[in-house]
Amino acid sequence: MEKAINFKIDSELYKKIKIKTVMEDITIKQYILGLIEKDIENSEATISNFVEK
C-alpha cells in the first residue's frame, strides 16, 4: 500500500530541484525517494536498533 507525503518548499529550492531532475532525466519523485533511500541505508544500523527495542 502506498502512502503520501505532502509538504511545501521554497520556490527557489523547487527550481533547483526541477533543474537537477531535468538534467538527470528523472522525476522529482524519483529524486526525492532516492535521497530518502540513501539516507536510510546510511542509517540502517541505527534504525535497526531502534526498531528492535
Side-chain angles (χ1 to χ4, degrees):
M1 175 193 266
E2 287 189 352
K3 300 286 185 175
I5 297 175
N6 237 341
F7 54 91
K8 294 184 181 217
I9 60 171
D10 178 72
S11 61
E12 285 301 312
L13 179 58
Y14 178 83
K15 288 177 189 176
K16 290 176 184 178
I17 292 169
K18 186 65 179 171
I19 291 168
K20 175 122 175 108
T21 58
V22 167
M23 290 172 41
E24 295 186 14
D25 195 30
I26 59 174
T27 65
I28 292 175
K29 178 181 176 179
Q30 290 170 320
Y31 178 65
I32 299 298
L33 288 177
L35 292 173
I36 293 169
E37 289 169 354
K38 285 178 193 173
D39 186 61
I40 289 174
E41 286 173 12
N42 291 337
S43 304
E44 198 66 46
T46 304
I47 292 170
S48 295
N49 289 337
F50 180 77
V51 171
E52 291 175 4
K53 292 182 180 182

